Amino acid sequence: MPQQPPPPLPPVPERPALPAAARWLLMLFAVLCLVMGVIGVIVPGLPSTVFILMAGWAAARSSPRLHAWLWRHPLFGSMLRNWADGGRVSRHAKWSATFLMALCAAILLVASIPRWASITAAACMACVLTWLWLRPEPGR
């Protein structure tokens, strides 16, 4: 049985143009977030998804070329397309975030920092994880 070709990617959403100064600032922010997202793919404990989403947001408003590149990227594109399709987050991203936040919370609890700070940070992470797990997942 011949294998079906993958479905075509949805078109890149278009945004209205902004003043030049705003575009430059947003472009700088997009590149900074993209760099942090790439580092987050490698470094445990640093989130990549949130930085890629912020890079996509800023690129959509500042650089159609960068946004189109991110939209079609094999690793980052699915995150942006899932988010644009109703704020969806993959189960893999949810489990990765859960594991890394649990690891960070455990490290904070055994580190020599004030107990109130580690409990506050763990509570914030628990709130973020609750919100994250309530996000819909993309369809297969």
Side-chain angles (χ1 to χ4, degrees):
M1 186 163 119
Q3 194 172 16
Q4 294 284 340
L9 294 177
V12 179
E14 293 188 27
R15 306 273 185 210
L18 294 174
R23 282 196 319 268
W24 278 104
L25 286 172
L26 283 170
M27 179 68 165
L28 179 65
F29 181 70
V31 170
L32 177 65
C33 287
L34 181 58
V35 168
M36 294 300 291
V38 170
I39 292 170
V41 169
I42 301 164
V43 176
L46 185 64
S48 60
T49 303
V50 68
F51 285 116
I52 298 305
L53 291 176
M54 288 190 301
W57 172 85
R61 285 148 181 81
S62 63
S63 170
R65 198 169 94 195
L66 176 60
H67 187 247
W69 180 81
L70 283 169
W71 189 262
R72 293 180 181 103
H73 192 275
L75 179 63
F76 306 132
S78 63
M79 290 181 217
L80 294 175
R81 291 187 303 272
N82 287 338
W83 189 258
D85 183 30
R88 299 178 188 285
V89 178
S90 73
R91 180 154 306 193
H92 175 73
K94 291 177 182 182
W95 278 114
S96 295
T98 301
F99 172 74
L100 290 172
M101 285 190 202
L103 178 65
C104 290
I107 291 170
L108 286 172
L109 290 172
V110 297
S112 60
I113 60 173
R115 184 64 54 204
W116 67 267
S118 59
I119 290 171
T120 301
C124 289
M125 286 187 273
C127 290
V128 170
L129 281 177
T130 301
W131 173 84
L132 185 65
W133 279 96
L134 291 174
R135 302 301 314 157
E137 294 179 7
R140 294 273 172 200

